[in-house]
Amino acid sequence: NAGVTQTPKFQVLKTGQSMTLQCAQDMNHNSMYWYRQDPGMGLRLIYYSASEGTTDKGEVPNGYNVSRLNKREFSLRLESAAPSQTSVYFCASSANYRGQSGYTFGSGTRLTVV
Amino acid sequence: AQTVTQSQPEMSVQEAETVTLSCTYDTSESDYYLFWYKQPPSRQMILVIRQEAYKQQNATENRFSVNFQKAAKSFSLKISDSQLGDAAMYFCARIGVDSNYQLIWGAGTKLIIKP
């Protein structure tokens, strides 16, 4: 079982470049999430999708956009990367928006913006 | 304010011994869920254990167990017979209606296992 698959695993961008982080889950989960994790800190929610067709801002949405392409896929786009967006990005999914069973996480994308 | 506090930035334990990681939280709700996640150096976030607040019985998963004190808003993780593979960052998290069903995370505790 793949669970949550994120691509790429590593990426280096120049300031101002754009890129899309891809995420797919094969657990038939309804809800999906994008987090960032900075050194020495916990996870901060960027955007989430409670169900297919909906997206909402989290704690730190500025500089990002998302697309819930279908039930399986939830992408995160950086339109004009900035050094402050250097971080590790995690995609996660849960069975439903209440998240009572916990989240399943992807293995993360380490993004460096120079 | 909705907060999850892990007061121990780092803990160390001898292999095969028992260690307890602390977590406290703040909420006025009675129905919520609590989680411990493990993040090894591979950086994969792994769910270790979950607790439903309306259940008084403490959750257990093999060598991992919790001490859930609802009145004290405390949710500690006990790891018995510590193994080298337990070395990781451990994050405590809570979810509930007051967080709009978003996970609220603690800052993490780094667990070091001494061989």
Side-chain angles (χ1 to χ4, degrees):
Chain A
N1 291 334
V4 177
T5 302
Q6 285 182 239
T7 56
K9 294 190 183 302
F10 300 93
Q11 184 71 49
V12 178
L13 288 179
K14 293 182 179 179
T15 298
Q17 286 185 321
S18 63
M19 79 161 294
T20 299
L21 280 64
Q22 306 288 350
C23 176
Q25 52 89 11
D26 62 1
M27 296 169 289
N28 201 35
H29 283 175
N30 287 303
S31 302
M32 298 185 73
Y33 312 83
W34 276 105
Y35 284 91
R36 61 178 288 173
Q37 184 180 33
D38 299 308
M41 298 182 67
L43 279 72
R44 293 187 292 170
L45 183 64
I46 304 171
Y47 270 93
Y48 66 100
S49 172
S51 61
E52 185 179 358
T54 69
T55 60
D56 285 287
K57 295 178 180 179
E59 180 185 355
V60 288
N62 291 343
Y64 306 95
N65 284 300
V66 292
S67 295
R68 183 74 183 267
L69 303 170
N70 48 55
K71 190 172 185 178
R72 291 185 63 247
E73 298 173 287
F74 188 40
S75 63
L76 177 71
R77 183 161 178 83
L78 287 71
E79 291 291 351
S80 179
S84 61
Q85 294 178 304
T86 293
S87 189
V88 178
Y89 291 84
F90 288 96
C91 178
S93 69
S94 64
N96 58 53
Y97 76 97
R98 291 174 63 97
Q100 65 265 42
S101 298
Y103 294 5
T104 301
F105 284 83
S107 58
T109 296
R110 182 175 294 279
L111 175 66
T112 302
V113 183
V114 297
Chain B
Q2 305 159 26
T3 56
V4 175
T5 302
Q6 294 179 249
S7 59
Q8 307 150 318
E10 186 174 296
M11 291 281 285
S12 62
V13 63
Q14 206 71 35
E15 190 177 5
E17 294 187 346
T18 295
V19 64
T20 298
L21 309 184
S22 300
C23 174
T24 59
Y25 56 91
D26 186 25
T27 182
S28 58
E29 298 293 325
S30 59
D31 186 18
Y32 49 88
Y33 299 85
L34 296 160
F35 307 91
W36 278 98
Y37 278 87
K38 169 185 177 181
Q39 187 177 37
S42 66
R43 78 172 180 237
Q44 177 82 46
M45 293 289 283
I46 302 165
L47 178 62
V48 174
I49 200 165
R50 62 185 285 273
Q51 174 78 41
E52 301 168 21
Y54 61 86
K55 287 189 176 180
Q56 291 186 334
Q57 185 173 5
N58 289 324
T60 62
E61 288 287 343
N62 300 314
R63 297 182 296 106
F64 298 87
S65 62
V66 298
N67 183 7
F68 174 48
Q69 301 289 329
K70 191 171 185 178
K73 299 178 184 175
S74 172
F75 181 60
S76 59
L77 175 69
K78 185 172 83 171
I79 306 174
S80 303
D81 185 24
S82 297
Q83 300 175 0
L84 294 177
D86 294 334
M89 285 290 292
Y90 286 81
F91 292 94
C92 177
R94 187 183 70 81
I95 199 168
V97 65
D98 56 339
S99 68
N100 196 28
Y101 296 109
Q102 302 304 317
L103 278 170
I104 301 173
W105 296 87
T109 296
K110 182 178 182 179
L111 179 63
I112 298 168
I113 310 294
K114 298 177 181 178

